[in-house]
Amino acid sequence: MSTTEKLLDAAEYRMRRGGYNSVSFRDLASDTQIKSSSVHYHYPKKEDLGLALVERYSSQFNDELAKKTKTAKTTQEHLRAYQAVIRAALVEDDAICLCGLLGAEGAGLPNVIQHRVQQFFNENINWLVSILPNDMPKAEKLATANTLLAGHQGAMMLAKNMQDNKIFDTITNQLLEQVI
Amino acid sequence: MSTTEKLLDAAEYRMRRGGYNSVSFRDLASDTQIKSSSVHYHYPKKEDLGLALVERYSSQFNDELAKKTKTAKTTQEHLRAYQAVIRAALVEDDAICLCGLLGAEGAGLPNVIQHRVQQFFNENINWLVSILPNDMPKAEKLATANTLLAGHQGAMMLAKNMQDNKIFDTITNQLLEQVI
DNA sequence: CCTATTTTCTATCTCTAGATAGACAAGGCT
DNA sequence: AGCCTTGTCTATCTAGAGATAGAAAATAGG
């Protein structure tokens, strides 16, 4: 595994738990067995690191979604895949969504990162809109996409906080049942 | 206004935007025109400050909720009040919920604060369960309460991020319509 | 094998963080 | 007046942050 990958892994682990400001170059250095100045070689500014991380997270998320919907046909199947991808992020990594956390910290972050997180949400919404039933009015599609996104993000946050992943399932199941 | 109130106001303003780690004693000192050592006089450790802040936020939230539901009778009326209280926190303060943000930052915070935030969520859920229709099965009440809480928190985060408070209204209206 | 590039290192800077000790000031109470 | 409590100040400590310069090592390509 390349050094940049190791760095991003360590940064993702830490950032998805404590947030942007809870991660330091020295932490990442010790996680990856190099010196903090070497971390700066790969990512000169913290902003660079953060941006690269959101970019990787975002494209991995979209890849997962594409993979899990390869054979999906109905809206229901697509939504179950959406739920499953997010659930995996929560359960396997035992952490909430990187963009959910960075989105909450919003104003405390460099502008480039804020915008990249916003892009992640926009992509989410566009995807959701694209897989909702054709006979659903456009405005309702948009509303539903926003509700699903917000609901899933909130569900991760709540489940993590209550230390009970069943809460995520309960909430998202209810959302999927009611929305369709 | 007392110094401690001024301090909590300044801390709340900053913390609801950038998160726990984005607030420093020196920031608060300059916000309130005193020296940082004087801030330590009122709140010896940052943890003390954070805890006092969550406590004040939490009780103000519950007070608002009580006030707005004084004449409420139906579940619908109670839920509209819940929505309105959170909306006011979003629109008037132009910031997301303190506990939503601290909840997301979870693992990066002192334990006492984590637990106090968790208590805020528990109180929210208990309140929601208490105002849901009597004929709704207990399990469904709990699920619905969780969905409403997560949905509202997610809606704040998303609306703030997209810089469009209408998103909050759209999402929460849809939730209230579908859930009842 | 030698050179050029990439990567890591040592060493260090500056700034800010949280935190503390102890002097000093203002006000009420007896 | 003298005292005690409350609050603020100056001054300072230690730790850690992000960041940089320049030497040294590793690696790749001809």
Side-chain angles (χ1 to χ4, degrees):
Chain A
M1 188 162 43
S2 75
T3 305
T4 54
E5 275 177 298
K6 277 192 248 174
L7 284 170
L8 291 179
D9 284 350
E12 182 173 335
Y13 184 91
R14 300 191 105 102
M15 212 173 278
R16 280 175 69 183
R17 281 163 184 78
Y20 188 80
N21 290 315
S22 80
V23 179
S24 79
F25 280 83
R26 280 168 180 82
D27 290 335
L28 303 180
S30 88
D31 288 346
T32 55
Q33 321 268 18
I34 60 176
K35 300 294 166 182
S36 76
S37 55
S38 301
V39 181
H40 277 283
Y41 168 77
H42 295 282
Y43 299 104
K45 317 258 161 195
K46 191 173 181 183
E47 204 175 286
D48 302 325
L49 192 254
L51 188 60
L53 183 54
V54 177
E55 239 140 36
R56 188 185 73 157
Y57 183 85
S58 193
S59 75
Q60 279 178 352
F61 180 89
N62 290 327
D63 288 354
E64 278 297 307
L65 205 52
K67 197 164 74 177
K68 280 227 168 85
T69 51
K70 211 144 212 176
T71 66
K73 292 216 173 65
T74 65
T75 294
Q76 189 67 247
E77 283 167 356
H78 281 89
L79 286 180
R80 287 293 166 191
Y82 183 76
Q83 180 192 35
V85 169
I86 296 180
R87 186 183 200 281
L90 174 70
V91 176
E92 284 165 29
D93 305 343
D94 193 33
I96 66 172
C97 172
L98 176 67
C99 292
L101 208 170
L102 296 183
E105 288 185 317
L109 307 178
N111 278 326
V112 261
I113 297 185
Q114 272 183 261
H115 289 136
R116 192 58 190 79
V117 168
Q118 202 172 319
Q119 189 188 324
F120 173 84
F121 290 140
N122 270 317
E123 286 168 4
N124 256 256
I125 290 170
N126 289 337
W127 184 88
L128 285 165
V129 165
S130 80
I131 60 96
L132 285 173
N134 287 323
D135 61 346
M136 188 184 272
K138 199 174 168 185
E140 195 187 330
K141 273 194 203 176
L142 197 56
T144 303
N146 276 292
T147 301
L148 286 168
L149 172 52
H152 279 77
Q153 290 293 337
M156 294 187 101
M157 189 274 286
L158 195 58
K160 192 80 218 308
N161 230 257
M162 300 306 218
Q163 297 167 62
D164 181 3
N165 290 335
K166 282 197 221 83
I167 291 180
F168 176 84
D169 297 330
T170 308
I171 295 171
T172 54
N173 281 336
Q174 199 176 49
L175 281 171
L176 293 203
E177 282 159 24
Q178 285 170 349
V179 138
I180 304 298
Chain B
M1 190 161 46
S2 77
T3 305
T4 54
E5 277 177 297
K6 277 192 249 175
L7 284 170
L8 291 179
D9 284 350
E12 181 173 334
Y13 183 91
R14 300 191 105 100
M15 212 173 278
R16 280 176 68 185
R17 281 163 184 79
Y20 187 79
N21 290 315
S22 79
V23 179
S24 79
F25 280 81
R26 282 167 180 82
D27 290 336
L28 302 180
S30 87
D31 288 346
T32 55
Q33 322 266 18
I34 60 176
K35 299 294 165 183
S36 76
S37 55
S38 302
V39 181
H40 278 283
Y41 169 77
H42 296 282
Y43 299 104
K45 317 257 162 198
K46 191 173 181 182
E47 202 175 287
D48 301 324
L49 194 252
L51 188 60
L53 183 55
V54 178
E55 241 140 34
R56 188 184 73 157
Y57 183 85
S58 192
S59 75
Q60 280 177 352
F61 180 89
N62 290 327
D63 288 354
E64 279 297 307
L65 205 52
K67 197 163 76 176
K68 281 227 167 84
T69 51
K70 210 143 212 176
T71 65
K73 294 215 174 63
T74 65
T75 293
Q76 188 68 244
E77 282 166 356
H78 281 89
L79 286 179
R80 286 295 166 189
Y82 183 76
Q83 179 191 36
V85 168
I86 296 179
R87 187 184 199 279
L90 174 70
V91 176
E92 284 165 28
D93 304 343
D94 193 33
I96 67 173
C97 172
L98 176 68
C99 292
L101 209 170
L102 295 184
E105 288 185 317
L109 308 178
N111 278 327
V112 260
I113 298 187
Q114 271 183 261
H115 289 136
R116 191 58 189 76
V117 168
Q118 203 173 319
Q119 189 188 322
F120 173 84
F121 290 141
N122 271 317
E123 287 168 3
N124 256 257
I125 290 170
N126 289 338
W127 184 88
L128 285 164
V129 164
S130 79
I131 59 97
L132 285 173
N134 287 324
D135 60 346
M136 188 184 272
K138 199 173 169 185
E140 195 187 330
K141 273 196 206 176
L142 197 56
T144 302
N146 276 293
T147 301
L148 287 168
L149 172 53
H152 278 78
Q153 290 293 337
M156 295 186 99
M157 188 274 284
L158 194 58
K160 192 79 217 313
N161 230 256
M162 300 305 220
Q163 297 167 61
D164 182 2
N165 290 335
K166 281 196 220 84
I167 291 179
F168 175 85
D169 297 330
T170 308
I171 294 171
T172 54
N173 281 336
Q174 199 176 50
L175 282 172
L176 294 204
E177 282 158 24
Q178 287 172 346
V179 138
I180 304 299

